[in-house]
Amino acid sequence: MMGSLLLLLAALLGAPLFAVIAASALLGFSREEVDLSVVAIEIYRLAEMPVLLAIPLFTFAGYLLGESQAPRRLVRLTNALLGWMSGGLAIVALVACALFTAFTGASGVTIVALGALLYPALREANYPERFSLGLITTSGSLGLLFAPALPLILYGVVAQQMNLDPPVKIDDLFAAGLLPGLLMMVALSLYSVWHVRGQVREKRAFDYREACAAVRDSAWEIPLPLVVLGGIYSGFFALSEAAAVTALYVLIVEVAIRREIPLGKLPEVMRESMVLVGAIMIILGVSLASTNYFIDTEVPTRLFEIIRERVDSKFTFLILLNIFLLILGMMLDIFSALVLVVPIILPIAIGYGIHPVHLGIIFLANMQIGYITPPVGMNLFIASYRFERSVLDVFRATLPFLVILLATVLVITYWPGLSLYLVAD
Amino acid sequence: MNDVPAEGALARAQRVLHRIEDGVLALLLGAMVVLAPFQIGLRLFFDEGLTWADPLLRVLVLWVGMFGAISASRGDRHINVDVLSRILRGRARAMLGLAVHVFTTTVCLIVAWHSWTFVQTEREYGSVAFLDVPSWTLQLILPFAFSMIAIRYALYAAAEGSVVLGLRQPGTRSQPAGDPR
């Protein structure tokens, strides 16, 4: 107990989470008098999961895209296709950010890469300042329910460690995220169009020529979502294979064909992307050890019994789950939350008859809100830094969007069919 | 950039070390980016594959991850819950930093030590990963990575310690992983 409190303190004081988790595993195993090299054995299991290959490869591809002119082309393309609508530029921002986030793994790159293009464009078209700021900050994490976003993959990896029957398939998660993700986008789009009605000057006719030019401009990137999603959903590629093809393709296109990233810059892009991968992998590695300890000591089972005594309906449990996840999202980043909390709540949720795939979507949808809530919402800080506004200003600007996202999270939580409709049995 | 300040020969040594780290990381990732699609090509067009490629790719994931983690410790960019250090300033912040870095260093050293015994055991056991590569050589990354990270955090602890003792001015705070400039 004393040890756990000290660890919690260390975490709150800013110690790297991997060290805190490693310490908890070391403490736990030494209390059980297990040889501590078991921790190393658990970390080494990172080399025994084929699906993990997808993580460095997709992340690398995402960073390459972010460094190239692809964000500019993506904005041009969506603008040409959707910009003619009233409030179209807001929808452009939402769609472009969601697509980009799906590929870059919701790591905050979106606000930097796309926000710098979209924010000035929105202001120019007379969108209110506060609205634009809130829209961009919120959009920065939109799309993490769409394949091949890193959090979806990571949830699958963690759930697969639980040896469920039947196992959670990552393809199923990809299918399940589609409609809930669309719901969020549609809700935010409707609000945006309604909010800015009559104040923006941008309505213009659909420009067929510009649309064609924009499509030609993005000709190399357009196949990407098709290859990744088509390849995975059709079963032609395994996830790690789709990642391999994506990484090589993006590398060839952006470095060799388009030459937008000079060869000399490549090591830096590699390093930057692998810093994120390394930070996630080491947390995943040590949490394999701590999870193993928790499961050995039957923590989830005992927790379930305690909760079961007090909470008898699935409905009440879901409400508590939402509250818990929202608070969790305020404190922890999505990756650490996934590897730490999913092993504990997944068995409990199954006990209440919640589908493991549905739980994944609930989990991520709640966590997405955590990106824009203080005290540690990453998007708030990145936007505050990027647009030179105080964190509090940014937070106030995102509030209406946050309320809408909350509403969609409730729909996603209490309507399992929305997530499970596209999942094959 | 965000590194522990060092002067002269030490700074140069550090730069060389960073170069080597970046080089190895690029090499490992490069190998992965080439080998993984190559294996798919073999499967699609010739309906076969290299038997050693899949285990090698899996080990590459671990190595890339661990080198990435070493890289993330350069500039203290590991994921953390950064609530209090944003509020604190000057000496108080340095004291907090000292405590936290000592904690991280200690944990990493313990993990490094037990990874080393793990490698020793595997070596005696003599299992082979693929081709003729013994497993223990691939596992060496664990004690190596955790030792490297421990050294980095020990240096941060030393830097914060010198601020606490009043030998140095407080520096700027580093950026976390995934938080682009």
Side-chain angles (χ1 to χ4, degrees), chain A residues 287-303:
Chain A
S287 72
L288 289 175
S290 71
T291 301
N292 189 322
Y293 167 73
F294 279 131
I295 292 175
D296 275 359
T297 51
E298 298 187 324
V299 170
T301 327
R302 277 186 291 174
L303 257 178

Side-chain angles (χ1 to χ4, degrees), chain A residues 102 176 182 259 274 279 287 302 353 378:
Chain A
L182 280 175
R259 294 169 189 260
M274 288 312 112
S287 72
R302 277 186 291 174
M378 184 165 66

Side-chain angles (χ1 to χ4, degrees), chain A residues 30-191:
Chain A
S30 69
R31 217 176 289 142
E32 306 280 305
E33 294 178 4
V34 178
D35 188 312
L36 290 183
S37 62
V38 68
V39 173
I41 297 173
E42 290 292 333
I43 300 173
Y44 194 72
R45 277 174 52 213
L46 289 177
E48 288 156 10
M49 300 180 209
V51 62
L52 288 185
L53 188 58
I55 293 180
L57 290 173
F58 272 133
T59 310
F60 177 49
Y63 270 73
L64 279 175
L65 285 171
E67 279 296 322
S68 72
Q69 295 294 316
R72 189 188 53 74
R73 286 190 290 274
L74 178 61
V75 171
R76 182 183 177 188
L77 181 67
T78 36
N79 202 7
L81 297 180
L82 301 169
W84 51 272
M85 288 185 266
S86 160
L89 199 54
I91 301 176
V92 166
L94 290 166
V95 172
C97 286
L99 262 174
F100 195 72
T101 303
F103 268 88
T104 51
S107 54
V109 189
T110 307
I111 296 182
V112 178
L114 286 178
L117 298 169
L118 289 166
Y119 184 73
L122 285 164
R123 295 290 297 125
E124 188 133 311
N126 220 17
Y127 281 77
E129 186 177 356
R130 188 185 263 199
F131 170 85
S132 309
L133 189 62
L135 180 74
I136 295 298
T137 311
T138 312
S139 306
S141 53
L142 196 65
L144 59 79
L145 291 178
F146 296 136
L150 219 50
L152 271 176
I153 300 177
L154 205 58
Y155 177 83
V157 169
V158 174
Q160 281 169 2
Q161 300 308 306
M162 313 285 299
N163 296 321
L164 301 175
D165 185 41
V168 173
K169 287 199 306 226
I170 294 177
D171 312 13
D172 285 349
L173 287 166
F174 284 180
L178 219 52
L179 293 179
L182 280 175
L183 174 72
M184 287 184 166
M185 289 184 61
V186 170
L188 290 173
S189 300
L190 288 177
Y191 166 75

Side-chain angles (χ1 to χ4, degrees), chain B residues 68-82:
Chain B
I70 295 173
S71 226
S73 65
R74 196 202 293 176
D76 192 12
R77 291 171 67 185
H78 277 286
I79 297 174
N80 62 356
V81 184
D82 201 356

Side-chain angles (χ1 to χ4, degrees), chain A residues 14 17 107 271-272 281 333, chain B residues 22 43 61 71 77 79-80 178:
Chain A
L17 281 173
S107 54
R271 174 173 126 82
E272 279 305 307
M281 290 288 247
D333 71 284
Chain B
D22 293 352
R43 174 176 75 89
V61 170
S71 226
R77 291 171 67 185
I79 297 174
N80 62 356

Side-chain angles (χ1 to χ4, degrees), chain B residues 27-79:
Chain B
L27 213 67
L28 292 169
L29 182 61
M32 188 189 274
V33 172
V34 173
L35 186 60
F38 183 69
Q39 179 79 341
I40 301 170
L42 285 181
R43 174 176 75 89
L44 287 182
F45 300 116
F46 303 102
D47 205 18
E48 58 182 326
L50 305 166
T51 48
W52 49 267
D54 286 338
L56 175 59
L57 279 169
R58 289 203 295 272
V59 168
L60 277 174
V61 170
L62 176 75
W63 280 61
V64 162
M66 285 298 136
F67 266 91
I70 295 173
S71 226
S73 65
R74 196 202 293 176
D76 192 12
R77 291 171 67 185
H78 277 286
I79 297 174

Side-chain angles (χ1 to χ4, degrees), chain A residues 18 37-48 281-282 285-286, chain B residues 59 61-63 65-67 69-70 107-119 122 135-150:
Chain A
F18 84 86
S37 62
V38 68
V39 173
I41 297 173
E42 290 292 333
I43 300 173
Y44 194 72
R45 277 174 52 213
L46 289 177
E48 288 156 10
M281 290 288 247
I282 195 169
V286 293
Chain B
V59 168
V61 170
L62 176 75
W63 280 61
M66 285 298 136
F67 266 91
I70 295 173
V107 173
C108 288
L109 281 178
I110 298 175
V111 176
W113 173 254
H114 288 287
S115 316
W116 178 246
T117 41
F118 164 57
V119 172
E122 282 289 312
S135 302
W136 68 268
T137 53
L138 303 174
Q139 292 156 353
L140 274 176
I141 185 68
L142 292 181
F144 174 74
F146 279 95
S147 306
M148 287 296 289
I149 298 173

